[in-house]
Amino acid sequence: DGIRDYKVTGVQTCALPIFLPLIFGIISEYNLQLPLAGVFILVVVGLFTIFILASFSIFHKYRYAYVYGSAIYIWLFALGIICTMLHELRFDPLHFSKQIHPSSVFSLRLEEPPIEKEKSYRSIASVNHVIYNGRKIPVSGRCYIYFRKDEVAKQLQYASLIYTNKIPQPIPEVSDNAFFDFKKYAALQGLHHQVYVKEYDYNIKEIGRAHV
């Protein structure tokens, strides 16, 4: 048991330095949104150094072990950045925000029953299509949708399908609570936009899964 515990501890200790640059890359990209060109340079420099040193003799590999280790750390740091970039709005070509036009109509499906707030009902909706110039364009993405309290909004349920020409707007930086960044909280859930609608801003195509 003692030997087995030692082996497990040893593996965990060795894995920790490997994951640290990966974690730092994720945190850096989440907070800074680094330019793609800079990340590309990090990847090229890291891989180039690793491949060059891999061809050295054992003696030179040992002599330049710190350079080899640094190159691996740089590459892992860049990998963490890239993994985070893949989930960012700016690198999602199918996101509905890439298809916004003044006369666009959005097809939204509610992902949850509307939650009653003080002055509105709020829900999260997936945006399935953007209709523009007679074309129905498949898109991806989700947004917060706020309905003014009225008799029409009371009919809405989970999975209700609506059409609206109101354009979802980016969630603003400003927050009423200085200790809570709502924009970052929403971004972690893949939500970057919100839209406010009144009863005449949308048409209900389905209530739940029942056609109206």
Side-chain angles (χ1 to χ4, degrees):
D1 290 341
I3 294 174
R4 186 167 53 192
D5 292 342
Y6 173 78
K7 288 182 178 179
V8 172
T9 305
V11 170
Q12 292 173 339
T13 304
C14 292
L16 183 59
I18 294 175
F19 284 111
L20 280 178
L22 194 66
I23 293 170
F24 287 152
I26 293 171
I27 294 172
S28 298
E29 176 58 24
Y30 174 71
N31 288 287
L32 302 176
Q33 291 204 330
L34 303 169
L36 188 59
V39 179
F40 177 77
I41 291 172
L42 286 176
V43 172
V44 171
V45 170
L47 289 178
F48 180 77
T49 306
I50 290 170
F51 285 129
I52 291 296
L53 291 175
S55 64
F56 283 14
S57 65
I58 295 176
F59 172 77
H60 285 95
K61 283 181 181 178
Y62 179 78
R63 184 176 181 182
Y64 295 105
Y66 68 94
V67 177
Y68 190 74
S70 298
I72 291 176
Y73 269 45
I74 290 173
W75 186 81
L76 288 171
F77 177 75
L79 183 62
I81 295 173
I82 292 170
C83 289
T84 309
M85 281 182 167
L86 293 175
H87 294 85
E88 288 182 0
L89 173 62
R90 56 180 173 154
F91 295 110
D92 184 357
L94 297 178
H95 197 270
F96 69 85
S97 60
K98 307 295 194 301
Q99 297 290 343
I100 289 179
H101 307 280
S103 57
S104 296
V105 174
F106 300 88
S107 168
L108 298 94
R109 176 83 66 178
L110 302 191
E111 294 185 356
E112 62 181 16
I115 300 170
E116 186 172 0
K117 299 292 182 180
E118 184 179 350
K119 297 180 180 179
S120 64
Y121 295 105
R122 189 191 77 180
S123 184
I124 294 174
S126 55
V127 186
N128 300 319
H129 296 91
V130 174
I131 301 170
Y132 176 67
N133 276 350
R135 295 168 55 220
K136 194 173 184 179
I137 306 168
V139 293
S140 64
R142 303 155 70 225
C143 68
Y144 284 111
I145 181 166
Y146 295 85
F147 301 92
R148 188 170 73 174
K149 283 187 175 181
D150 53 48
E151 293 303 315
V152 177
K154 283 183 180 180
Q155 302 177 55
L156 297 168
Q157 304 170 14
Y158 164 74
S160 293
L161 177 65
I162 67 170
Y163 288 89
T164 179
N165 59 1
K166 292 284 285 187
I167 298 176
Q169 301 296 320
I171 297 174
E173 298 279 357
V174 180
S175 175
D176 295 333
N177 190 336
F179 300 100
F180 178 67
D181 191 330
F182 180 73
K183 184 173 183 177
K184 280 192 174 182
Y185 167 78
L188 286 173
Q189 302 179 71
L191 296 158
H192 304 276
H193 293 75
Q194 59 187 14
V195 60
Y196 294 82
V197 294
K198 300 175 182 178
E199 65 272 17
Y200 47 78
D201 291 327
Y202 64 96
N203 292 317
I204 302 175
K205 181 66 176 177
E206 298 176 14
I207 296 179
R209 292 291 181 179
H211 290 266
V212 294

